[in-house]
Amino acid sequence: MPLDTASGAFAIAPTPFHPDGRIDYDSIDRLGDFYREVGCTGVTVLGIMGEAPKLDGEEAVEVATRFIRASQGLAVVVGVSAPGFASMRGLARKAMEAGAAGVMIAPPPSLRTDDQIVTYFRQASEAIGPDVPWVLQDYPLTLSVVMTPAVIRRIFAENPSCLMLKHEDWPGLEKISALRAFQADGSLRPISILTGNGALFLDFEMERGADGAMTGYAFPEMLVDVVRLQKEGRRDAAHDLFDAHLPLVRYEQQQGVGLAVRKYVLARRGLLASDAQRKPGPVLSDRAKAEVEYLLSRVARVDRRAAISPQLARAS
Amino acid sequence: MPLDTASGAFAIAPTPFHPDGRIDYDSIDRLGDFYREVGCTGVTVLGIMGEAPKLDGEEAVEVATRFIRASQGLAVVVGVSAPGFASMRGLARKAMEAGAAGVMIAPPPSLRTDDQIVTYFRQASEAIGPDVPWVLQDYPLTLSVVMTPAVIRRIFAENPSCLMLKHEDWPGLEKISALRAFQADGSLRPISILTGNGALFLDFEMERGADGAMTGYAFPEMLVDVVRLQKEGRRDAAHDLFDAHLPLVRYEQQQGVGLAVRKYVLARRGLLASDAQRKPGPVLSDRAKAEVEYLLSRVARVDRRAAISPQLARAS
Amino acid sequence: MPLDTASGAFAIAPTPFHPDGRIDYDSIDRLGDFYREVGCTGVTVLGIMGEAPKLDGEEAVEVATRFIRASQGLAVVVGVSAPGFASMRGLARKAMEAGAAGVMIAPPPSLRTDDQIVTYFRQASEAIGPDVPWVLQDYPLTLSVVMTPAVIRRIFAENPSCLMLKHEDWPGLEKISALRAFQADGSLRPISILTGNGALFLDFEMERGADGAMTGYAFPEMLVDVVRLQKEGRRDAAHDLFDAHLPLVRYEQQQGVGLAVRKYVLARRGLLASDAQRKPGPVLSDRAKAEVEYLLSRVARVDRRAAISPQLARAS
Amino acid sequence: MPLDTASGAFAIAPTPFHPDGRIDYDSIDRLGDFYREVGCTGVTVLGIMGEAPKLDGEEAVEVATRFIRASQGLAVVVGVSAPGFASMRGLARKAMEAGAAGVMIAPPPSLRTDDQIVTYFRQASEAIGPDVPWVLQDYPLTLSVVMTPAVIRRIFAENPSCLMLKHEDWPGLEKISALRAFQADGSLRPISILTGNGALFLDFEMERGADGAMTGYAFPEMLVDVVRLQKEGRRDAAHDLFDAHLPLVRYEQQQGVGLAVRKYVLARRGLLASDAQRKPGPVLSDRAKAEVEYLLSRVARVDRRAAISPQLARAS
């Protein structure tokens, strides 16, 4: 599946670690199987939530390669954002050799003006090479770089190898509408728009024209289903399922502890052997774990997939 | 009600404007009646969501005074954050003369170190005068000033007239637990903690020890009820009501357009004559209004107060 | 002198305070006389260095009015930057009524994209009224808003009442060259460019095409002379004088204590009755004062105007 | 020379590149010889000015190793700041094996509270291992992390392997005095304080108690001499030499183009084969080059070492 026509749910995968900080490759394999089985169309690795900056260069290649192998049949996008182009290029080319569908690039927080942003992505695209398909990550809340729809259009116009937008502006509904309007008036070529933000607005993002979701919510099944239901025109059903998960989606969305919650849930689901993060990383308090369990029990009233029997749990 | 023992729901009031930018005093009166009737214990005016920076000095005093008069029986907190202490003191003293219960102070974004933060609030407290009760606003997401629980404890220890914490750190559940633990070990005197963040975490904040909510959600009735239900120990009922509103709470939480959504809903409820904001302010698209209407109809399935008959609507 | 043809040195005036925080109007009068006598063509009041945010609305009008009266014959620019347009308009119109030559507007730090910046200044210009001449302040180092030369050109094109650029980008030499090139190719109308940054680059800014200086260095005589010498084509003489002052210019340039140094020197020169700042403000240590005295003695070897006899000193 | 008793001038070395972006190892050798010949006591490589983020992991090790070999007899400090501890540890240990005297660590810009800062450096110190001597970099202007003197004291108290402070707070004179006062009262153990900021305040920093300079000014001879003169108590002579260089020091200090100026001058001095930077990097305009030449000619009137005969020049 070429990235510019991609749709559905791309799961953002966490990087699994053992409690001592070593990479847990078995859990990578388990995640790959899981994402395929639940109907994801893609997997994104080494993103911000993937603790990518905590890996050194060789580890990053190994994790990406293992995920690619484990996710046969799915499109794998590898985050290659780096402070410099040398590291970015190195990882991008090794990822493509290993079979990635493309790479993802976020802007460095220092960019301010429209021209600075456009220039950066032109140089990044040149650095990785024109043959490497890439995803533009638009994430102002965390990166503090604000791209207008017109700037995004310029980036796509200048870089034929840029095929997909990972949209997580906030608020971003009007931005999706603006980009689709650009396509309607012929000023923007077809691109895929997958939305992030922990899925907090996925229900309406689909109605505004998103092609799917790319985020790390611990129940990618919900992402798959909401995307599908909205495409089938079953609006109320989509919202009903979404709303049932929203309290947990919202809880995961907390900056700082969100990843800890996700790893905890994925460990409770038997997918990760441990919910460990590499340092520096927050630890989930017992109180917080109990809150997550309560939320899971409430989600399970509507969606049985959230009914996790304690026996399955491997974590903490 | 002295602020250090305050609980329940403090509604953060928007400042009503006519479409031409003049202040709409009749809507202030209507809001005051409304907040009292639905069971709020307090009202907060001239907060960040109150478009306070768009008022000049005299207007600020007039708006605060009118709200105080309109909200008889409720504790009114007046936001007095200002770039300088002269303006802060002027507004604070006029607000107290008009009958305010206290004032609220947020830190300027330039503060970085623990000592800078503590020093600032000591000077602010001196500036407004030791007889003026005040609320400490802790809002890192917007203000980029991060206060540890220990710094908050220092501020309360140094300033006897600081009586309440408006808590909107994100994530902030552990911070509430830490502050309540300080009180348990005797290192922090009794204070009131009301939580903000658009109520996005109110369900669990109450369980962690918050005394209530201080936020601008367009259905303060929900805040009143969730606070009450949690205090009565009716956890599931509290979450059931909260979850029914969460899709709209979440929609309002969007930075940038949140206030537009709130004003739209309050206008639809017949409380504001217009949903106008002073410039610069975003305008809600027709698409967004339709989304809000859809959300209202879904909330109304559980909470009939969200069933707004079109006849009532005054806005747009 | 209309602002768009202004040149020479505009002194940025500090706001004089008594040690107890009251405004010191006598020192305002003394400063006005002084600036005129040393050959300044203008005075800028209520700028960032003027402690403007520490004044309330009425005080700001009084300070501006007094400076305008005290500076007969000079063009007075009044800083009107404010969090909201109501306050900005109020001060701008009162300043113009009192006889100001124009007002100065800086962008709020939250602006990011080119369009946000352009939109803000269009709205600000509308708010103060099309009859009020204004100066665009470009100061990324402190305000974190970055305007490209093309964005500056858009602002001047959209707003006929914008007549002057206060340039203090850093580094900014190429920006001056770019703007002058725009004028050479006819895409930018004639504007005045005065440079700030504490005069740290004034020597070369003049060679790149600046019309003069607008900054608060405690020896505006040097600004006047360097501008004049450069206009006369006496490059080496301009640099010789500039270099003699540079150690002190550099010392004043320290963020945080720069204003304290300036007020100390102006008090030592007998112009301010006190070097007091309103809180919060740093206090100059004895060690720092001794360093300033040493610098003054070194400047005085070349420029006798820096030879301040101790008898003249009023401060500390 | 152990780092905690280090003094004199540590030159911050640029990373030399060929015009096509390859690393220029011959110029590294030439720089090493040069720094030793002019009397530097140390060399710092892979700092912010060393374009470190533009190197990939292997290149960083190669550059550090080559500099260590080329700088026999000098203490070499290797910048190891990295987004994650895995990369930091890897580079630190390889640098020490290659013969580095220690490593330098800057705080990531996201740190805010005192505790966050202290915790980060504790974890970083653990990550590189307790046997690796390290230098604490305090650089708020660029990194936006503000450390009070008390926080710096905590970091040194907690981490016995932290031996030196690279001081480039701005303004920072009082900070040096505060740290030396801590040592006088016994609350801080002996440490070396070398100052950065492009040497803009070196004259007074030495008088406040700094042990020397660590910065990249293109005439490290001046740093060596000013440090020596101040230690000999020859205050006026130190300032005379410093002031002669200050116009160029100031010109180099421009954020964004400072490195381009330094590389240009080092190339003009025959030390770098090319003044090329890896992308993204600014290019010095012809106008700027002419300004630098003019400044060099003026410095040369006092310090003959700045009289660079055109024949020597290799660059541009």
Side-chain angles (χ1 to χ4, degrees), chain D residues 158-179:
Chain D
E158 283 198 4
N159 302 286
S161 54
C162 183
L163 301 182
M164 177 188 282
L165 176 68
K166 168 143 198 239
H167 164 284
E168 42 195 334
D169 198 353
W170 191 7
L173 296 175
E174 301 301 334
K175 186 176 260 186
I176 298 174
S177 294
L179 291 169

Side-chain angles (χ1 to χ4, degrees), chain B residues 7 9 29 84 127 194 232 283 316:
Chain B
S7 64
D29 295 342
L194 301 189
E232 295 171 359
V283 172
S316 342

Side-chain angles (χ1 to χ4, degrees), chain A residues 130-147:
Chain A
D131 54 326
V132 176
W134 59 280
V135 179
L136 172 63
Q137 186 170 16
D138 179 24
Y139 194 12
L141 195 68
T142 290
L143 302 168
S144 80
V145 176
V146 183
M147 306 184 206

